[in-house]
């Protein structure tokens, strides 16, 4: 059984069909790319998967659960976590604090229980700190734990967002343009680290990205959207050579 299934997922905003009958399936442990020109409906797909929007028609299923039945926080608890195209860190908090916030969404340590214990269960907090610190080490941010997030360069902030998303211990990680604003060396390093999140941590990864080299070298399968509709799918090499895809990007 596929882990995530979009079946004719559709959402309309007034007269605009932002996502139109989109279908794709992710197997557990896959690295899957969602690409397309500006306004194609990629981020809207993430908003549908995370429950921020509910589909006008069609369905989205995760581990057999029909996500239309769940509010966003329960979808997060089912094991879906994301980063944002426009970074959403708490700028005045440190790197470590931002990632520790993510740990409160983990199933075994609900925010409710954290509030009930008034932060007094020190053992628990120190475990969260240790967990967050380990994640930040994995993502190469171990020497920036106590830096205020807003003082970091853009590329590092994107990595903190990935660490925060990982802190919820998701099964599926959605990355919305993780390489945006990075230089070529940072992009190569990020690509290797995203592969590690799959290879070493077993995450399923769905990535939106405009950088073609990044997408083609990272993803195993790709779906291409344009004006809310699928125009191509397949292996990176197939998609890259598809005339419809080339035309869509040239038309941008
Ligand atoms: N809440 C909303 N209300 C109205 N229109 C919306 C809403 N969200 C998205 N749209 C529209 O849906 C279309 C798809 O937007 P979306 O953000 O998904 O594109 P995208 O593929 O992520 O593009 P980009 O590469 O620029 O990030 C756009 O025309 C956008 O203006
Ligand atoms: Mg977008």
């Amino acid at each position: 059984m596929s882990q995530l299934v979009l079946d004719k997922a559709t959402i309309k905003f007034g007269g605009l069909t932002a996502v139109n009958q989109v279908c794709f399936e992710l197997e557990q442990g896959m690295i899957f790319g969602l690409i397309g020109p500006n306004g194609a409906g990629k981020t809207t797909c993430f908003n549908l998967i995370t429950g921020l929007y509910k589909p006008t028609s069609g369905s989205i299923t995760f581990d057999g659960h029909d996500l239309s039945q769940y509010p966003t926080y329960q979808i997060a608890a089912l094991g879906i976590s994301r980063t944002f195209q426009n970074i959403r860190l708490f700028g005045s908090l440190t790197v470590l604090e931002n990632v520790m916030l993510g740990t409160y969404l983990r199933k075994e340590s609900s925010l409710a229980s954290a509030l009930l214990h008034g932060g007094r269960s020190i053992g628990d907090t120190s475990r969260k700190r240790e967990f967050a610190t380990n994640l930040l080490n994995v993502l190469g941010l171990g020497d920036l734990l106590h830096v205020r997030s807003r003082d970091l360069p853009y590329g590092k902030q994107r990595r903190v967002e990935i660490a925060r998303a990982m802190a919820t211990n998701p099964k599926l990680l959605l990355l919305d343009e993780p390489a945006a604003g990075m230089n070529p060396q940072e992009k190569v390093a990020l690509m290797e680290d995203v592969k590690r999140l799959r290879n070493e941590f077993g995450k399923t990864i769905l990535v939106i990205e405009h950088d073609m080299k990044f997408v083609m070298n990272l993803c195993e399968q790709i779906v291409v959207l344009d004006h809310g509709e699928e125009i191509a799918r397949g292996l990176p090499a197939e998609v890259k050579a598809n005339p419809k895809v080339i035309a869509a990007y040239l038309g941008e």
Side-chain angles (χ1 to χ4, degrees):
M1 189 183 70
S2 297
Q3 190 180 53
L4 178 75
V5 181
L6 275 74
D7 184 16
K8 297 186 184 157
T10 300
I11 186 166
K12 299 184 183 190
F13 298 112
L16 175 82
T17 308
V19 173
N20 197 359
Q21 310 251 5
V22 168
C23 300
F24 58 82
E25 298 193 8
L26 269 65
E27 304 294 328
Q28 197 268 323
M30 197 175 210
I31 304 183
F32 196 97
L34 188 59
I35 70 169
N38 290 121
K42 306 179 298 293
T43 297
T44 305
C45 284
F46 277 19
N47 290 337
L48 285 168
I49 295 165
T50 54
L52 214 55
Y53 303 147
K54 296 298 173 193
T56 311
S57 63
S59 70
I60 303 176
T61 312
F62 181 72
D63 277 346
H65 302 276
D66 173 2
L67 296 186
S68 67
Q69 305 303 315
Y70 293 84
T72 51
Y73 71 93
Q74 281 182 1
I75 293 175
L78 286 174
I80 301 180
S81 187
R82 74 180 294 182
T83 65
F84 292 90
Q85 184 170 356
N86 43 348
I87 295 168
R88 295 194 193 172
L89 293 172
F90 293 95
S92 59
L93 297 185
T94 67
V95 166
L96 179 60
E97 286 165 344
N98 266 288
V99 177
M100 283 181 70
L101 280 177
T103 65
Y104 284 96
L105 285 168
R106 299 179 77 196
K107 259 190 214 143
E108 61 274 350
S109 58
S110 70
L111 183 58
S113 84
L115 291 173
L116 277 175
H117 295 106
R120 269 176 286 123
S121 62
I122 291 162
D124 199 37
T125 303
S126 71
R127 271 205 304 280
K128 289 187 197 319
R129 179 173 290 116
E130 189 186 331
F131 183 75
T133 303
N134 284 342
L135 276 175
L136 285 160
N137 282 328
V138 167
L139 283 157
L141 300 167
D143 51 352
L144 299 171
L145 300 183
H146 305 296
V147 176
R148 258 199 308 188
S149 301
R150 74 159 73 98
D151 296 334
L152 286 176
Y154 208 55
K156 292 260 181 349
Q157 290 192 27
R158 288 210 175 275
R159 280 177 168 266
V160 177
E161 275 227 327
I162 296 172
R164 185 177 62 182
M166 283 286 289
T168 69
N169 211 12
K171 297 176 186 165
L172 170 63
L173 193 57
L174 310 176
L175 305 176
D176 197 344
E177 302 198 22
M182 290 189 174
N183 66 38
Q185 291 94 313
E186 285 176 315
K187 285 180 183 176
V188 171
L190 179 67
M191 202 187 306
E192 292 312 315
D193 285 339
V194 173
K195 285 181 186 166
R196 285 177 60 210
L197 297 183
R198 191 274 300 276
N199 296 344
E200 291 174 28
F201 296 82
K203 304 303 177 191
T204 310
I205 293 168
L206 177 58
V207 57
I208 295 173
E209 183 51 59
H210 280 288
D211 185 305
M212 282 306 124
K213 203 172 153 203
F214 186 92
V215 170
M216 299 297 162
N217 287 319
L218 178 66
C219 299
E220 293 149 346
Q221 271 190 52
I222 295 171
V223 159
V224 190
L225 300 182
D226 190 20
H227 299 294
E229 294 181 18
E230 175 184 327
I231 58 165
R233 72 166 59 213
L235 301 170
E238 294 167 349
V239 161
K240 198 155 75 176
N242 187 313
K244 280 191 198 166
V245 177
I246 296 165
Y249 275 94
L250 287 177
E252 195 175 7

